[in-house]
Amino acid sequence: MLTYDADLYADDAILEPYGHYRTIRDLGPAVFLSKHRLWCFARYDEVRAALRDYTTFSSAQGVAANDVINTQSLGNTITTDPPEHNKMRRVIKAPLAAAALQSIVPAIEEEAERLVERLVRQKSFDGIADCAQHLPVTIVSKLVGLPEVGRANMLRWASATFDALGTMNDRGRDALPHIQELHRYCTDEATLKGLAQHGWAAAIWRAADEGHVPRSKCPAMMRDYVSPSLDTTILATGSLLWLFGRYPDQWDKVRSDVSLIPGAINEAIRLESPIRGFTRVATRELTCEGRTIQSGSRILLLYASANRDERKWRDPETFDTERDARDQLGFGFGPHVCVGMHLAKLEITALVRAFARRIVRFELGEPERAINNTLRGFARLPVTVH
Ligand code: HEM
């Protein structure tokens, strides 16, 4: 059996994951991670095929890399398979579909313009706290419609959720009380009474009243909006600003031709995938280049590695805003492909457009990476604009 022994969830591997990922890719299409007792797919073709084939690679026993979370907190959309998944996803997706988002485009664009005007006057700012967080925290959290105390805690709950989706190391264990608090919050009568009437969370309960999903599913579906809606977009935005700062020639291209923005966003998510990977469970015995994966085995699908697989991408380490990166896997693929991707792209596009009209350069200070069991990006990103 081909194995890889490193701890992919140790601080140093989280800070510098790509060397590990390349080694795993070169070892073979399916590699056993001995430290985590998990199989791993790190090549593009295998990850994409697994994401598509939910009958063989099931999400219904959880997508975390540890049993504590996989056995305790099932029930949200990402931890189901069709046909149950289809019903839940339809409800969750309703306000996030491209057409449904049209009504909030002006608000997002106006807020992005105001923010960027302020940041340009300020000249130096933190690309995360002052810039990337602004739209998700001011607009998206309002759209979800939790009462104020919930809005104030969304970032903490989200980062804990992603820590707990990795292995059960100290970070994973420290996250558990925060997750329990989030679970309690989503079932608390006071929360449900305080939901904004026209918010996305309230719409889940209305869908249950209309018989589209069982009421018992609603608290878990509320978590679908709390955990992935802020941090992912914030980290993607931060990484894009960092890339523009590091590669000014690419920024020059984008600011002189804003039609490159959608491609630049895909390219940044390819190169610096905010969600490094989730797991699936094999529902039958598989053979992969002579290796047998037993039925019931858990397999880590490394999106961040697939997105740098040299078998798929030419010069995978290069940030190229003109590359066609539409089939990058940073938003997933297949039945669970990110329901929030149109919203995330809308927010990031509005910001980049506003910058493109006003600034020539992003000058970077010394950034600090966030250390999270599942997420990749920056905790702090000093930026000066010119
Ligand atoms: C740049 C930002 C984002 C990235 C990189 C991202 C990434 C992902 C990925 C990789 C998956 C699939 C995971 C899998 O199949 O294992 C996913 C699913 C999901 N995302 Fe996102 N996401 C982002 C933004 C958002 C936003 C803004 C929301 C909500 C408003 C959201 C809500 C969800 C939900 C609910 C799912 C589960 C869908 C399902 O199971 O059918 N995401 N996301």
Side-chain angles (χ1 to χ4, degrees), residues 51 77-78 85 89 92 96 200 224 228-229 232-233 236 269 274-275 278 280 303 329-332 335-340 343-344:
L51 285 174
T77 307
I78 203 160
H85 172 253
R89 184 173 166 102
I92 292 292
L96 292 165
W200 301 345
D224 283 331
S229 62
T232 48
T233 314
I269 290 173
I275 296 181
F278 281 149
R280 300 291 194 261
Y303 314 137
L329 301 177
F331 285 115
H336 291 278
V337 70
C338 181
V339 286
L343 174 62

Coordinates of all heavy atoms in Angstrom, one line a residue, residues 51 77-78 85 89 92 96 200 224 228-229 232-233 236 269 274-275 278 280 303 329-332 335-340 343-344, ligand 1:
L51 N -16.1 13.6 -7.0 CA -17.1 14.6 -6.6 C -18.4 14.4 -7.5 O -19.5 14.6 -7.0 CB -16.6 16.0 -6.9 CG -15.6 16.5 -5.9 CD1 -15.0 17.8 -6.4 CD2 -16.2 16.7 -4.5
T77 N -26.9 20.2 4.5 CA -27.0 19.8 3.1 C -25.8 19.1 2.6 O -25.9 18.1 1.9 CB -27.3 21.1 2.3 OG1 -28.4 21.8 2.9 CG2 -27.6 20.7 0.8
I78 N -24.6 19.5 3.1 CA -23.4 18.9 2.5 C -23.2 17.4 3.0 O -22.5 16.7 2.4 CB -22.2 19.8 2.8 CG1 -21.1 19.5 1.8 CG2 -21.7 19.6 4.2 CD1 -20.0 20.5 1.7
H85 N -30.7 15.0 -0.6 CA -29.9 16.2 -0.8 C -30.6 17.1 -1.8 O -30.5 18.4 -1.6 CB -28.5 15.7 -1.4 CG -27.7 16.9 -1.9 ND1 -27.5 17.2 -3.3 CD2 -27.0 17.9 -1.3 CE1 -26.7 18.2 -3.4 NE2 -26.4 18.7 -2.2
R89 N -31.1 21.0 -1.0 CA -30.4 22.0 -1.8 C -31.3 23.0 -2.5 O -30.9 24.1 -2.7 CB -29.5 21.2 -2.8 CG -28.6 22.1 -3.6 CD -27.6 21.4 -4.4 NE -27.0 22.2 -5.4 CZ -25.8 22.7 -5.4 NH1 -25.0 22.4 -4.4 NH2 -25.3 23.6 -6.3
I92 N -32.1 25.7 0.0 CA -30.9 26.5 0.3 C -30.5 27.4 -0.9 O -30.1 28.5 -0.7 CB -29.7 25.6 0.6 CG1 -30.0 24.8 1.9 CG2 -28.4 26.3 0.7 CD1 -29.9 25.7 3.1
L96 N -29.8 32.0 -3.6 CA -28.4 32.2 -4.1 C -28.2 31.9 -5.6 O -27.1 32.0 -6.1 CB -27.6 31.2 -3.3 CG -27.4 31.5 -1.8 CD1 -26.9 30.3 -1.1 CD2 -26.5 32.7 -1.6
W200 N -32.9 34.7 4.6 CA -32.8 33.4 4.0 C -33.1 32.3 5.1 O -33.6 31.3 4.7 CB -31.3 33.2 3.5 CG -30.9 34.1 2.5 CD1 -31.7 34.9 1.7 CD2 -29.5 34.3 2.1 NE1 -30.9 35.6 0.8 CE2 -29.6 35.3 1.0 CE3 -28.3 33.8 2.4 CZ2 -28.4 35.7 0.4 CZ3 -27.2 34.2 1.8 CH2 -27.2 35.2 0.8
D224 N -26.0 25.8 7.2 CA -25.5 25.9 5.8 C -25.2 27.4 5.4 O -24.4 27.6 4.5 CB -26.5 25.4 4.8 CG -26.6 23.8 4.8 OD1 -25.5 23.2 5.1 OD2 -27.7 23.3 4.5
P228 N -20.4 28.5 5.8 CA -19.6 28.7 4.6 C -19.8 30.1 4.0 O -19.1 30.3 3.0 CB -20.1 27.6 3.7 CG -21.5 27.4 4.0 CD -21.7 27.8 5.5
S229 N -20.6 30.9 4.5 CA -21.0 32.1 3.7 C -20.0 33.3 3.8 O -20.0 34.2 3.0 CB -22.4 32.6 4.0 OG -22.5 33.0 5.3
T232 N -15.1 31.8 3.6 CA -14.6 31.4 2.3 C -14.4 32.6 1.4 O -13.3 32.7 0.8 CB -15.6 30.4 1.7 OG1 -16.9 31.1 1.8 CG2 -15.7 29.1 2.3
T233 N -15.4 33.4 1.3 CA -15.3 34.6 0.4 C -14.2 35.6 0.9 O -13.5 36.1 0.1 CB -16.7 35.3 0.4 OG1 -17.7 34.4 0.2 CG2 -16.7 36.3 -0.7
A236 N -10.8 34.1 0.0 CA -10.6 34.2 -1.5 C -10.3 35.6 -1.9 O -9.4 35.9 -2.7 CB -11.9 33.7 -2.2
I269 N -8.8 31.3 -7.0 CA -9.4 30.2 -6.2 C -8.8 28.9 -6.6 O -8.6 28.0 -5.8 CB -11.0 30.2 -6.4 CG1 -11.5 31.4 -5.6 CG2 -11.6 28.9 -5.9 CD1 -13.0 31.7 -5.8
P274 N -9.6 28.3 -1.1 CA -9.9 28.6 0.3 C -10.3 27.3 1.2 O -10.0 27.2 2.3 CB -11.1 29.5 0.2 CG -11.0 30.1 -1.1 CD -10.5 29.1 -2.0
I275 N -11.0 26.3 0.5 CA -11.3 25.1 1.2 C -10.3 24.1 0.7 O -10.4 23.7 -0.5 CB -12.7 24.6 1.0 CG1 -13.7 25.6 1.6 CG2 -13.0 23.2 1.6 CD1 -15.2 25.3 1.5
F278 N -12.3 18.2 1.5 CA -13.3 17.5 2.4 C -13.2 16.0 2.1 O -12.5 15.6 1.1 CB -14.7 18.0 2.1 CG -15.1 19.3 2.7 CD1 -16.0 20.2 2.0 CD2 -14.6 19.7 3.9 CE1 -16.3 21.4 2.6 CE2 -14.9 21.0 4.5 CZ -15.8 21.8 3.8
R280 N -15.1 12.0 1.6 CA -16.3 11.1 1.2 C -16.0 9.7 1.7 O -14.9 9.4 2.1 CB -16.4 11.1 -0.3 CG -16.6 12.4 -1.0 CD -18.0 13.0 -0.7 NE -18.3 14.1 -1.6 CZ -18.2 15.4 -1.3 NH1 -17.7 15.8 -0.2 NH2 -18.6 16.3 -2.2
Y303 N -9.0 19.4 -2.9 CA -9.3 20.4 -4.0 C -8.1 21.2 -4.3 O -7.8 21.5 -5.5 CB -10.5 21.3 -3.6 CG -11.7 20.5 -3.1 CD1 -12.3 21.0 -2.0 CD2 -12.1 19.3 -3.6 CE1 -13.4 20.3 -1.4 CE2 -13.1 18.6 -3.1 CZ -13.8 19.1 -2.0 OH -14.8 18.4 -1.4
L329 N -11.5 23.3 -9.2 CA -12.4 22.5 -8.3 C -12.5 23.2 -6.9 O -13.0 22.6 -6.0 CB -11.9 21.1 -8.1 CG -11.8 20.3 -9.4 CD1 -11.2 18.9 -9.1 CD2 -13.2 20.1 -10.0
G330 N -12.1 24.5 -6.8 CA -12.2 25.2 -5.5 C -13.6 25.5 -5.0 O -13.8 25.7 -3.8
F331 N -14.6 25.4 -5.9 CA -16.0 25.5 -5.5 C -16.6 24.1 -5.4 O -17.8 23.9 -5.3 CB -16.8 26.3 -6.4 CG -16.6 27.8 -6.3 CD1 -16.0 28.6 -7.3 CD2 -16.9 28.5 -5.2 CE1 -15.8 29.9 -7.2 CE2 -16.8 29.9 -5.0 CZ -16.2 30.6 -6.1
G332 N -15.8 23.0 -5.5 CA -16.3 21.7 -5.6 C -16.8 21.4 -7.1 O -16.4 22.1 -8.0
P335 N -22.9 17.2 -7.6 CA -24.1 17.6 -6.9 C -24.0 18.6 -5.8 O -24.9 19.3 -5.5 CB -24.6 16.2 -6.4 CG -23.5 15.2 -6.5 CD -22.6 15.8 -7.6
H336 N -22.8 18.6 -5.1 CA -22.6 19.5 -4.0 C -21.8 20.8 -4.4 O -21.4 21.5 -3.5 CB -21.8 18.8 -2.9 CG -22.6 17.7 -2.2 ND1 -23.5 18.0 -1.2 CD2 -22.6 16.4 -2.4 CE1 -24.0 16.8 -0.8 NE2 -23.5 15.8 -1.5
V337 N -21.7 21.0 -5.7 CA -20.9 22.2 -6.0 C -21.5 23.4 -5.3 O -22.7 23.5 -5.1 CB -20.9 22.4 -7.6 CG1 -22.3 22.8 -8.1 CG2 -19.9 23.4 -8.0
C338 N -20.6 24.3 -4.9 CA -21.0 25.4 -4.0 C -22.2 26.1 -4.5 O -22.3 26.7 -5.6 CB -19.8 26.4 -3.9 SG -20.1 27.8 -2.9
V339 N -23.2 26.2 -3.5 CA -24.4 27.0 -3.9 C -24.2 28.5 -3.8 O -25.0 29.3 -4.3 CB -25.6 26.6 -3.0 CG1 -26.2 25.3 -3.3 CG2 -25.3 26.8 -1.5
G340 N -23.1 28.9 -3.1 CA -22.9 30.3 -2.8 C -22.0 30.9 -3.8 O -21.6 32.1 -3.6
L343 N -22.8 34.3 -5.5 CA -22.8 35.4 -4.5 C -21.3 35.8 -4.2 O -21.0 37.0 -4.2 CB -23.5 35.0 -3.2 CG -23.3 36.0 -2.0 CD1 -24.0 37.3 -2.4 CD2 -23.9 35.4 -0.8
A344 N -20.5 34.8 -4.0 CA -19.1 35.1 -3.7 C -18.4 35.9 -4.9 O -17.7 36.9 -4.7 CB -18.3 33.8 -3.4
Ligands
HEM1 C1 -15.0 31.9 -2.5 C2 -16.0 31.5 -1.8 C3 -16.4 30.0 -1.6 C4 -15.7 28.9 -1.8 C5 -14.3 28.7 -2.3 C6 -16.6 27.8 -1.5 C7 -16.3 26.4 -1.6 C8 -17.2 25.4 -1.5 C9 -16.9 24.0 -1.9 C10 -15.5 23.5 -2.2 C11 -18.0 23.3 -1.7 C12 -18.2 21.8 -2.1 C13 -17.7 20.9 -1.0 C14 -17.9 19.4 -1.3 O1 -18.6 19.0 -2.2 O2 -17.2 18.7 -0.6 C15 -19.0 24.2 -1.3 C16 -20.3 23.9 -1.0 C17 -21.2 24.7 -0.4 N1 -21.1 26.1 -0.2 FE1 -19.5 27.2 -0.8 N2 -17.8 28.3 -1.1 C18 -17.8 29.7 -1.1 C19 -18.8 30.5 -0.9 C20 -20.0 30.2 -0.3 C21 -21.0 31.1 0.1 C22 -20.9 32.6 -0.1 C23 -22.1 30.3 0.6 C24 -23.4 30.7 1.1 C25 -24.0 31.9 1.0 C26 -21.7 28.9 0.4 C27 -22.5 27.9 0.8 C28 -22.2 26.6 0.5 C29 -23.1 25.4 0.8 C30 -24.4 25.5 1.5 C31 -22.5 24.3 0.2 C32 -23.0 22.9 0.3 C33 -23.8 22.6 -1.0 C34 -24.3 21.2 -1.1 O3 -24.0 20.3 -0.3 O4 -25.1 20.9 -2.1 N3 -20.4 28.9 -0.1 N4 -18.5 25.5 -1.2

